[in-house]
Amino acid sequence: MEILVCVKRVPTVGGKIAVTPDGQEVDTRASGFSISPHEECAVEEAVQITERLGGAVSVLTLGPEVAIEQLRDALALGAHRAVLLETDGREFGPIATAAAIAAEVRAHPYDLVLLGNEAADTGDYQVGIRLAHELGWPVATGIKNLSVSSDGVVARREYRGVEEAYSLPLPAVVTVKEGINLPRYPSLPGRLRAKRATIEQSAPEWHAEGLRKERLRVPAGETKRAEILGTGPDAVPALVALLDELGVLT
């Protein structure tokens, strides 16, 4: 079983999000980088499948050269091969991204391509579907349970409280959601192997798309304020009125 997993380098933002002064990028000076949580699960799922059925896992990302760090993280988790589609700094839209990945898929005999359901930064949900359309392969999205055999895959997901199951022949494209499994922690031998591994690199051609980014802005957050009702005994009437308004008093 030859499986390709597509991942993306995204900011790890644990606090307040800020944008650059020109409004074009998220300011990542105070944050690190990782791959999207859905994609971590995609890597784990691919490794588990090959542990059961044999084969190899390739991991691919489209991004700057520093994204090699995320590829090595995936290698440390058990992937066997890593591919960087290096960009020149310009942002690839979902159409161009799918086309670049499709070129890699056509060059290798993959049986299955796994992606996260959506990237943690853009959340556009498009690349998996556009990739399948480009390849002419069947696709299932939002998957929380995956059964794979030489005959095909059965992909299950939940929708409005009902489980849906889809049978797909191979080769196929599947996007998975966080929670399909619990990703493992990389072992020390895995980290050492990943550090020594060769990363295959190529540079796909950038193509403009119909959408153009104008500006990013951080949405207004919830504001909180404190109101002093008074001090000492003089505050008691105001406190009683507030408790009555909240329905605490009977």
Side-chain angles (χ1 to χ4, degrees):
M1 182 71 65
E2 296 296 319
I3 304 176
L4 175 67
V5 183
C6 302
V7 302
K8 184 180 183 182
R9 174 182 170 90
V10 297
T12 304
V13 181
K16 184 177 180 181
I17 297 175
V19 298
T20 54
D22 61 3
Q24 292 299 303
E25 304 292 340
V26 175
D27 190 342
T28 59
R29 290 176 296 177
S31 65
F33 288 88
S34 63
I35 64 176
S36 298
H38 297 303
E39 294 163 356
E40 290 180 337
C41 290
V43 173
E44 175 65 26
E45 191 70 14
V47 171
Q48 290 186 17
I49 292 170
T50 55
E51 286 174 345
R52 294 193 304 268
L53 303 179
V57 176
S58 298
V59 61
L60 173 149
T61 193
L62 180 131
E65 186 176 12
V66 288
I68 286 176
E69 176 186 358
Q70 280 64 53
L71 291 176
R72 294 199 187 280
D73 288 343
L75 289 170
L77 294 173
H80 305 87
R81 171 175 169 265
V83 180
L84 171 66
L85 303 181
E86 188 175 354
T87 63
D88 58 4
R90 287 180 290 184
E91 185 173 347
F92 276 57
I95 298 174
T97 299
I101 297 172
E104 160 67 19
V105 174
R106 293 189 182 102
H108 295 83
Y110 295 116
D111 302 296
L112 180 65
V113 178
L114 296 181
L115 304 92
N117 199 53
E118 75 271 4
D121 53 354
T122 57
D124 54 21
Y125 299 84
Q126 295 187 43
V127 174
I129 296 173
R130 290 188 180 277
L131 173 62
H133 178 75
E134 181 84 14
L135 296 170
W137 289 9
V139 60
T141 62
I143 299 307
K144 295 290 289 285
N145 182 280
L146 190 63
S147 301
V148 182
S149 68
S150 58
D151 298 326
V153 303
V154 177
R156 293 180 172 85
R157 68 182 183 188
E158 294 180 3
Y159 180 70
R160 294 183 177 179
V162 177
E163 184 183 74
E164 300 177 338
Y166 300 90
S167 296
L168 285 71
L170 295 175
V173 176
V174 176
T175 74
V176 303
K177 296 187 71 174
E178 185 180 8
I180 189 173
N181 54 49
L182 182 62
R184 69 193 69 188
Y185 288 100
S187 64
L188 179 58
R191 288 190 181 277
L192 293 174
R193 179 176 59 84
K195 187 176 182 180
R196 296 190 300 266
T198 299
I199 307 296
E200 300 178 26
Q201 296 181 236
S202 62
E205 184 178 353
W206 180 83
H207 296 284
E209 297 186 8
L211 296 178
R212 181 168 59 91
K213 183 197 303 179
E214 291 289 342
R215 188 175 181 85
L216 297 177
R217 67 175 180 86
V218 178
E222 181 182 354
T223 59
K224 298 181 179 180
R225 63 185 179 88
E227 181 181 351
I228 299 176
L229 299 177
T231 57
D234 294 339
V236 173
L239 176 60
V240 172
L242 176 61
L243 294 176
D244 185 47
E245 182 183 342
L246 295 174
V248 175
L249 302 180
T250 56

